[in-house]
């Protein structure tokens, strides 16, 4: 006789967890594209400013991924 294996969070009332992989993918892709664009338009501005902008965008992408992983761990 086989028994089903419970999924994480399956015991919680309500709908499925609020993790939307497609939304996360789009958000991170957008941030990475903006970081890439900041590097390519760096000739118009001080290189230090371009690098700082890239770092800020990469940090935002990292934060989105960390929040997504944190939400999955809570389920």
């Amino acid at each position: 006789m086989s028994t089903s294996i419970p999924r994480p969070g399956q015991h919680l009332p309500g709908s499925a967890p609020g993790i939307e992989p497609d939304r996360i993918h789009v958000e991170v892709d957008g941030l990475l594209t903006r970081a890439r664009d900041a590097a390519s338009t760096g000739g118009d501005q001080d290189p230090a400013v371009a690098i700082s902008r890239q770092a800020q965008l990469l940090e935002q992408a990292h934060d989105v991924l960390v929040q997504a992983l944190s939400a999955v761990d809570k389920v």
Side-chain angles (χ1 to χ4, degrees):
M1 180 173 174
S2 66
T3 59
S4 64
I5 299 173
R7 297 273 199 201
Q10 195 173 29
H11 65 286
L12 299 174
S15 61
I19 309 296
E20 298 175 31
D22 291 337
R23 183 195 56 80
I24 294 166
H25 193 281
V26 167
E27 190 172 350
V28 170
D29 275 349
L31 289 165
L32 294 177
T33 298
R34 289 171 52 199
R36 204 173 305 119
D37 291 345
S40 65
T41 60
D44 298 342
Q45 59 185 345
D46 181 19
V49 173
I51 291 172
S52 177
R53 180 68 182 142
Q54 272 188 301
Q56 180 185 26
L57 291 165
L58 291 172
E59 186 172 349
Q60 287 176 357
H62 176 262
D63 289 344
V64 169
L65 293 171
V66 168
Q67 288 172 4
L69 286 173
S70 176
V72 169
D73 279 346
K74 290 180 184 178
V75 174

